[in-house]
Amino acid sequence: MLLKKNIPVRYIFGKIKYEILFVTIYGLTIEVIYQNFHITNISIPMTVPTVLGTIISLLLAFRSNQAYDRWWEARIIWGAIVNDSRTLARQVLFLIDDPYQPENIEAFKNRFIQRQIAWCYALGHGLRKDDPMPAVRNFISEEEADDLRGYDNKHVGLIQLHARDLNNALKQGWVNPYQQIQIDSTITRLCDAMGKCERIKNTVFPATYSLYIHIALHFFIILLPFGMVDLFGFLMVPVLIVLTACFFLIEKMAIHLQDPFENKPTDTPVLSISRNIERDLKQMMHDKHVPLAYEPEKFYIL
């Protein structure tokens, strides 16, 4: 993820440098042919590219809105994960109790909350198609790690371990049925958030829609110099570069936003959010020093 607020110009135009290079050469070629060889019949009315550009602008605006909706939905889901993780930790800390087994209760609470931290990291890495085990092993026991080997999605296995421990707590009398229902409701909301993230991850943006817009955009750029060559002369080339750069940047923005879990600069910062959850949950367990077991995402420019 790109964590800097001020995005460098080098990064912005680095995404479209090849397109701009092609447009520059293409525009210069048209201008040289028009001026030096006096082939004036290559110009066309500006109305043609204007109408086509208007249509493409509407299509790009619609696509950008749809891509942003996917990105924003992903961020809302992870905001809910933050809230539900804190809620789960609070419920475990204050609803589960047994005055006759204080050591067992303390170990149970610690194991449960540590596992919730592991779940956040596992979900984040799983959405990015990375191996979550290096991060998860910092928070779970070897026995629990063995249980996870049978799961392709480690976050699903961790939710199952939550449910198993909660059921055992009910049998031991550490929680009553009403408390068990409340904690299970929080786990259910976490499971729902997990499914929503997987839905966004696994639902691809329609390829044909992207392809049609891409073809129409290139057709518009091919026609544009022929409409401006009479109006601007050699100034046509810089004007062409500015206009096409705007269209290409909007298209690139939509492409990046439509996949919020692809580990791109516009990605939802799932690992940074997980690290914040780790910090908060450890502080709730009165760990004042909060030795974070997993490194956050680093600042980088792609």
Side-chain angles (χ1 to χ4, degrees), residues 22-298:
F22 168 78
V23 168
T24 302
I25 296 173
Y26 178 67
L28 284 172
T29 302
I30 298 298
E31 184 63 33
V32 168
I33 292 174
Y34 182 81
Q35 297 291 345
N36 294 343
F37 295 94
H38 305 290
I39 303 176
T40 57
N41 59 355
I42 64 173
S43 63
I44 62 174
M46 191 61 187
T47 307
V48 177
T50 299
V51 173
L52 183 59
T54 302
I55 296 172
I56 292 173
S57 298
L58 295 174
L59 292 174
L60 283 175
F62 177 76
R63 183 185 178 184
S64 298
N65 287 335
Q66 294 300 310
Y68 181 79
D69 285 344
R70 284 166 63 95
W71 182 88
W72 184 239
E73 183 184 3
R75 187 60 187 87
I76 290 175
I77 293 169
W78 272 86
I81 288 173
V82 173
N83 296 338
D84 288 333
S85 295
R86 293 169 180 165
T87 298
L88 182 63
R90 175 178 53 80
Q91 290 173 331
V92 169
L93 288 171
F94 294 102
L95 296 183
I96 298 176
D97 194 18
D98 188 338
Y100 301 104
Q101 304 180 57
E103 293 183 0
N104 291 339
I105 290 295
E106 193 65 26
F108 178 89
K109 293 178 179 180
N110 181 73
R111 182 175 69 251
F112 208 106
I113 294 175
Q114 291 281 351
R115 191 190 303 123
Q116 178 56 29
I117 297 172
W119 179 84
C120 295
Y121 282 118
L123 179 60
H125 281 287
L127 292 171
R128 292 180 173 180
K129 302 298 183 182
D130 295 332
D131 181 13
M133 288 310 294
V136 169
R137 285 185 180 276
N138 294 314
F139 306 99
I140 62 176
S141 65
E142 287 298 325
E143 179 184 352
E144 290 177 327
D146 290 339
D147 289 337
L148 292 181
R149 287 176 184 158
Y151 292 90
D152 293 330
N153 295 322
K154 307 305 180 186
H155 43 278
V156 175
L158 290 167
I159 284 286
Q160 287 292 97
L161 293 175
H162 272 349
R164 185 189 67 185
D165 271 9
L166 183 60
N167 187 53
N168 290 337
L170 180 63
K171 292 179 179 178
Q172 294 286 340
W174 296 346
V175 292
N176 61 45
Y178 300 102
Q179 293 169 331
Q180 187 265 345
I181 290 173
Q182 289 297 317
I183 298 174
D184 186 71
S185 296
T186 304
I187 296 175
T188 299
R189 290 198 301 272
L190 290 168
C191 193
D192 289 342
M194 177 175 64
K196 291 175 182 178
C197 288
E198 291 173 339
R199 169 177 53 79
I200 295 174
K201 174 69 177 180
N202 297 325
T203 303
V204 298
F205 205 86
T208 52
Y209 183 72
S210 301
L211 178 62
Y212 296 157
I213 293 179
H214 192 67
I215 292 174
L217 177 58
H218 281 76
F219 183 61
F220 163 71
I221 292 170
I222 290 172
L223 289 180
L224 191 57
F226 297 101
M228 297 193 303
V229 69
D230 264 343
L231 298 175
F232 296 101
F234 275 104
L235 287 177
M236 181 268 291
V237 177
V239 173
L240 176 66
I241 292 173
V242 172
L243 290 176
T244 55
C246 293
F247 279 96
F248 279 129
L249 285 173
I250 293 173
E251 185 188 30
K252 292 289 185 181
M253 176 192 68
I255 291 172
H256 289 169
L257 288 179
Q258 71 189 24
D259 295 314
F261 301 122
E262 291 296 320
N263 202 16
K264 294 177 180 177
T266 51
D267 196 4
T268 301
V270 292
L271 299 186
S272 295
I273 294 173
S274 298
R275 183 176 182 267
N276 291 336
I277 293 173
E278 177 188 356
R279 178 200 61 205
D280 293 343
L281 267 55
K282 285 186 174 181
Q283 288 179 346
M284 292 174 72
M285 292 191 294
H286 304 291
D287 188 348
K288 299 300 182 183
H289 298 290
V290 194
L292 300 179
Y294 192 73
E295 287 297 321
E297 294 172 292
K298 299 184 182 298

